[in-house]
Amino acid sequence: MHKKLYFSYLAIILLAIGMSAFIFWNKGYEYVYEQSQEYYLNQAKLMADIFSEEEMDSNNDYETFVLKYSVKYKFRITLIDKEGKVLADSSTEERLENHKSREEVIGALRGNSVTVNRYSKTMGQEYSYSAVPLKNGDLEGVLRISLPIAQIKFLNRQFADSIVYAIILCFILAVIAAAVFTNLLAKPVNEVARAAGRISEGDYNIKIYTRDKSVVGKLADSFNIMAANLKGTIDNLTKRNAELEAMLSSMTAGVVAIGDTSEILFYNKAFLEVVKPDKEIIQGVSLYNFLRNAAVFDAIDQVRDTNSSVTKEGTLLKKTIRNIRVTATPLGLEGEHYFGVLLIIEDVTQLKKLESIRTDFVSNVTHELKTPLTSIRGFIDTLKNGAIKDEAIANRFLDIIDIEAERLYSLIQDILLLSEIESKREYESLPCDINETINAVIELLQPKITDKVKINFCPKPYVRPFYCNPDRMKQLFINLLDNAIKYTEEGTISVDCLEEGNTLFVQIKDTGIGIEKEHLARIFERFYRVDRGRSRKQGGTGLGLSIVKHIVELYNGNIQVDSTLGVGTEFKISFPYLAGLK
């Protein structure tokens, strides 16, 4: 733009100079020519006046006059009488032909002052002749002065040279002026262009400072306002984009948007975790290239058909089978054409598992409650039907009812305890001496220990107290030791407690009947029994080990079990000390 503006200015200036020079040359040439004619006529009149005042007696006087003033004024002087005879000529001594027929002579003899340009045969070149009437005494004639046209042309050449010099000077000044004015005018425009370039590179803090009050100044002001508005818009969009990115990143469900041709528009990290594509960058790639799932496809097709939200459930096979819930929604502004589909894919495997556990739990609780209640109702009906009259039978039935009621009470208590532990709301955390707790539990269970079973526990000299709810820790050891006593008909039960670093280790090992390997993975499930008949016979509720596991997890601990059928079972528990501190 700078060059275009510069050359435009220069062309306009040169055109103006050229036209001015042309007009000035024409007018100047005419003016010089007219002034030259008038000058030479005035000179001729002056010579005629001088000649009239001098005394002239002979031709010698005429010759002297023309020679004198010709040398003085640098032009040719010719004296001609009224018959056309040349009396004297300053340029030649030869006898000249009669000049009565010459145009300038004819005009002068008529009393006029005449200037004529024509070729002189005598001098062999073009001359400009100026003739005026002449009178001196009896002499009447013409005084003519002449000047070679070359001298007049020389004057014209000097005039032309002056014009050329003036044009050159004006051209130089025009070039400088065009450069200066172009820079002055283009400077704010260039600033606007540079600012626009910086904005295109992402710099929205640019501002143009100018004092120009013209259109360019208004353009700069408008540009500053536009840049400020654009910066505000970009900042808002950046902020909203960051918020959207944060929201999408924080979502645990996979989110993906696809266009009309199923190409991926955007997605979050959780989506990658759900589908686990082979490629890292999948934006712009068709969803069908790496995800093949009936629930997803059905949801997409139904949304495109109905333009309404759809929820589908299915399974996804990626190394393992997982349950997913797909929620599909039309993508676009309300009332306008929808340009894609937004998919929210949730991994509900754990939820389905929890639902299955809840269903099993309800079924097991119902079954566990139904069994003692059925037994109690049966014995009550028997007593009502007359068995109560037989004291021995009545007492035996009442003992059974009492046992079943106790079992029912224990079951309800375990269920409530398990629910309380699962809520993980522990309001009491006190320093608990684990050695004392183990001793208290052993003493509490002493009545259940037969002569064939021996419990070995040698407390370490010092074990740092563990911060917890002492009742929870006591319940843990009651359940583990009670199970060890129940399933060890003959042998030993070893209890060991020690501290290593910031971890508390507890080990309970028995030489009982043991557990088969296929049951080890499920013994911590609610109501799971390895030997259902034996467990019920010994009054178990099926929740003991589940309670133990939840207590361990309550304090961020870990529990492991190792058992061999016919050899015995070993439980290993570890508690991090920092977990119990408030």
Side-chain angles (χ1 to χ4, degrees):
M1 178 183 176
H2 187 277
K3 290 183 178 179
K4 290 183 180 179
L5 194 61
Y6 173 75
F7 286 114
S8 298
Y9 269 119
L10 192 60
I12 293 171
I13 293 174
L14 290 178
L15 181 62
I17 292 175
M19 293 180 64
S20 300
F22 178 76
I23 295 172
F24 185 70
W25 166 257
N26 287 335
K27 295 297 181 181
Y29 182 81
E30 292 176 3
Y31 177 77
V32 170
Y33 181 76
E34 291 174 358
Q35 289 297 315
S36 298
Q37 287 185 337
E38 186 178 354
Y39 172 76
Y40 292 126
L41 283 174
N42 290 333
Q43 289 293 323
K45 290 178 182 179
L46 179 61
M47 292 295 102
D49 291 341
I50 295 173
F51 183 83
S52 298
E53 293 177 357
E54 292 188 2
E55 293 182 2
M56 299 289 175
D57 294 331
S58 62
N59 286 339
N60 290 332
D61 293 335
Y62 298 154
E63 293 289 341
T64 301
F65 177 81
V66 297
L67 289 173
K68 175 183 175 182
Y69 286 100
S70 175
V71 173
K72 184 176 181 179
Y73 291 107
K74 309 286 186 214
F75 47 69
R76 178 185 174 189
I77 302 176
T78 305
L79 296 178
I80 306 168
D81 64 11
K82 63 181 180 179
E83 298 300 329
K85 178 183 178 181
V86 176
L87 301 177
D89 191 285
S90 63
S91 298
T92 182
E93 294 180 357
E94 297 178 2
R95 185 179 181 82
L96 301 175
E97 63 182 5
N98 191 284
H99 284 32
K100 190 174 182 179
S101 62
R102 306 291 171 87
E103 183 179 353
E104 70 274 10
V105 176
I106 294 172
L109 290 175
R110 291 177 180 175
N112 299 321
S113 298
V114 181
T115 298
V116 176
N117 294 331
R118 60 182 173 78
Y119 184 78
S120 174
K121 294 180 180 180
T122 304
M123 304 306 296
Q125 59 180 320
E126 287 189 357
Y127 266 74
S128 176
Y129 298 97
S130 298
V132 295
L134 174 68
K135 186 175 182 180
N136 186 324
D138 295 333
L139 176 63
E140 292 183 5
V142 176
L143 187 145
R144 185 186 71 178
I145 65 174
S146 58
L147 188 72
I149 293 295
Q151 291 189 15
I152 298 176
K153 288 183 177 180
F154 176 73
L155 292 175
N156 287 332
R157 281 198 300 272
Q158 286 185 324
F159 179 69
D161 291 343
S162 298
I163 292 177
V164 171
Y165 294 147
I167 290 175
I168 293 174
L169 180 61
C170 290
F171 175 76
I172 294 173
L173 294 175
V175 171
I176 297 172
V180 172
F181 283 109
T182 300
N183 287 332
L184 290 175
L185 191 61
K187 183 178 179 181
V189 178
N190 290 335
E191 288 181 357
V192 172
R194 283 193 295 270
R198 290 179 62 180
I199 284 180
S200 67
E201 295 172 358
D203 183 4
Y204 302 104
N205 295 315
I206 186 67
K207 191 173 183 181
I208 302 173
Y209 298 94
T210 180
R211 295 181 179 178
D212 196 338
K213 300 299 181 183
S214 64
V215 176
V216 177
K218 293 179 180 178
L219 175 62
D221 293 338
S222 300
F223 188 89
N224 289 336
I225 295 172
M226 181 196 70
N229 292 337
L230 186 60
K231 182 179 183 300
T233 302
I234 294 297
D235 288 343
N236 289 335
L237 288 176
T238 302
K239 182 180 178 182
R240 292 189 63 183
N241 187 56
E243 293 173 349
L244 180 60
E245 287 286 341
M247 290 171 57
L248 290 175
S249 299
S250 62
M251 291 181 66
T252 57
V255 179
V256 61
I258 61 174
D260 287 336
T261 57
S262 300
E263 77 281 4
I264 293 179
L265 303 178
F266 64 86
Y267 58 90
N268 65 350
K269 293 181 180 179
F271 174 73
L272 299 179
E273 294 296 325
V274 172
V275 300
K276 297 188 183 301
D278 297 331
K279 297 180 179 179
E280 292 184 2
I281 300 176
I282 60 175
Q283 192 163 356
V285 179
S286 175
L287 181 68
Y288 298 107
N289 286 354
F290 57 86
L291 179 63
R292 298 186 179 278
N293 184 270
V296 175
F297 295 168
D298 290 345
I300 293 173
D301 293 340
Q302 192 168 340
V303 166
R304 287 173 174 170
D305 292 339
T306 63
N307 283 335
S308 59
S309 298
V310 176
T311 300
K312 297 284 185 179
E313 290 190 357
T315 57
L316 183 66
L317 179 60
K318 288 288 182 178
K319 294 184 179 179
T320 58
I321 297 177
R322 288 179 292 173
N323 298 97
I324 59 170
R325 178 183 294 132
V326 182
T327 302
T329 306
L331 196 60
L333 298 176
E334 187 176 354
E336 297 184 6
H337 174 69
Y338 294 115
F339 58 86
V341 179
L342 179 66
L343 296 171
I344 300 176
I345 304 176
E346 300 174 84
D347 187 345
V348 294
T349 304
Q350 188 64 25
L351 182 61
K352 290 291 184 181
K353 184 178 180 181
L354 292 175
E355 289 179 355
S356 177
I357 292 174
R358 183 185 63 181
T359 303
D360 292 343
F361 178 75
V362 172
S363 176
N364 289 329
V365 167
T366 303
H367 178 74
E368 293 294 333
L369 292 174
K370 183 178 180 182
T371 300
L373 286 175
T374 301
S375 177
I376 291 171
R377 285 180 60 86
F379 285 113
I380 290 175
D381 290 340
T382 304
L383 290 173
K384 285 181 177 181
N385 291 331
I388 197 172
K389 296 178 181 179
D390 189 336
E391 185 177 352
I393 295 175
N395 288 333
R396 186 165 64 86
F397 283 3
L398 288 175
D399 289 339
I400 295 174
I401 291 172
D402 183 57
I403 292 171
E404 293 295 337
E406 181 65 27
R407 179 183 166 198
L408 188 60
Y409 175 78
S410 298
L411 177 62
I412 294 172
Q413 286 296 109
D414 283 350
I415 291 174
L416 293 176
L417 178 61
L418 185 61
S419 176
E420 184 180 347
I421 296 171
E422 282 183 333
S423 68
K424 294 187 178 181
R425 290 179 297 185
E426 194 62 83
Y427 300 107
E428 186 177 13
S429 184
L430 301 173
C432 176
D433 189 328
I434 303 300
N435 288 331
E436 289 186 3
T437 302
I438 294 174
N439 281 324
V441 171
I442 293 174
E443 185 177 349
L444 179 67
L445 296 177
Q446 195 65 42
K448 295 185 177 182
I449 301 174
T450 64
D451 295 337
K452 296 180 180 181
V453 177
K454 182 181 180 181
I455 295 181
N456 295 326
F457 175 57
C458 298
K460 297 294 185 293
Y462 176 76
V463 175
R464 193 179 357 158
F466 184 77
Y467 277 82
C468 63
N469 184 334
D471 292 336
R472 296 278 185 265
M473 197 58 65
K474 187 175 181 180
Q475 185 67 49
L476 180 145
F477 288 115
I478 289 174
N479 289 357
L480 289 176
L481 289 175
D482 187 51
N483 279 349
I485 294 170
K486 287 178 182 177
Y487 297 102
T488 303
E489 297 177 351
E490 184 177 357
T492 59
I493 299 173
S494 300
V495 181
D496 195 12
C497 178
L498 58 94
E499 173 191 349
E500 290 184 3
N502 284 325
T503 306
L504 174 66
F505 292 96
V506 177
Q507 179 179 339
I508 299 175
K509 183 178 181 180
D510 64 60
T511 58
I513 61 175
I515 304 172
E516 294 180 358
K517 296 294 184 184
E518 63 266 23
H519 297 293
L520 291 179
R522 300 188 62 188
I523 62 173
F524 294 108
E525 294 180 9
R526 299 177 182 88
F527 301 112
Y528 185 81
R529 294 183 176 88
V530 177
D531 187 345
R532 293 185 176 272
R534 179 172 183 142
S535 177
R536 284 199 179 92
K537 182 179 178 181
Q538 294 182 348
T541 63
L543 295 174
L545 290 180
S546 181
I547 291 173
V548 167
K549 182 181 180 182
H550 281 81
I551 292 175
V552 171
E553 291 178 349
L554 180 65
Y555 297 108
N556 299 323
N558 181 50
I559 184 169
Q560 295 178 348
V561 60
D562 185 23
S563 183
T564 302
L565 190 64
V567 176
T569 304
E570 180 181 13
F571 287 90
K572 296 178 180 180
I573 305 171
S574 61
F575 291 106
Y577 268 101
L578 296 178
L581 293 175
K582 286 188 178 181

